[in-house]
Amino acid sequence: MKRKPFKDLTGERFGALEVLIRENNRWTVRCDCGRTCTKDSRQLIGNGIKSCNTITCTYYIAARMASRRVADITGQRFGKL
């Protein structure tokens, strides 16, 4: 089985995460909320992780709240309604 060539992710951004350095086959990243954590390449590229995913992460909270917003349909018509 052939291995894919190594891709240096240093300096790249994935959502709120900025890749700082590679250590022991994992990437040290800094979230916009200020936390640093480690992620592997699959988490960053494949799964689309966009923040440190801690409960107190401001980016994570904002993304969750945005997905829960209900559209304001006041004054709109739907058929005869």
Side-chain angles (χ1 to χ4, degrees):
M1 178 191 272
K2 289 185 178 181
R3 297 185 88 189
K4 291 183 180 180
F6 172 74
K7 182 177 180 186
D8 186 15
L9 301 176
T10 305
E12 291 194 33
R13 292 191 63 86
F14 298 92
L17 298 176
E18 179 184 5
V19 180
L20 301 176
I21 193 167
R22 184 172 187 217
E23 296 176 359
N24 300 326
N25 295 328
R26 292 179 60 87
W27 297 97
T28 300
V29 295
R30 180 179 32 229
C31 185
D32 286 347
C33 73
R35 285 195 169 81
T36 57
C37 56
T38 58
K39 306 284 183 185
D40 62 22
S41 296
R42 279 184 251 144
Q43 289 177 308
L44 294 173
I45 298 170
N47 293 340
I49 293 199
K50 303 298 182 201
S51 70
C52 62
N53 289 339
T54 58
I55 294 173
T56 58
C57 176
T58 52
Y59 184 88
Y60 180 69
I61 292 169
R64 286 184 54 208
M65 294 304 288
S67 69
R68 293 182 181 176
R69 287 196 183 117
V70 176
D72 183 16
I73 58 172
T74 305
Q76 293 185 18
R77 293 190 58 95
F78 300 95
K80 293 184 179 181
L81 298 176

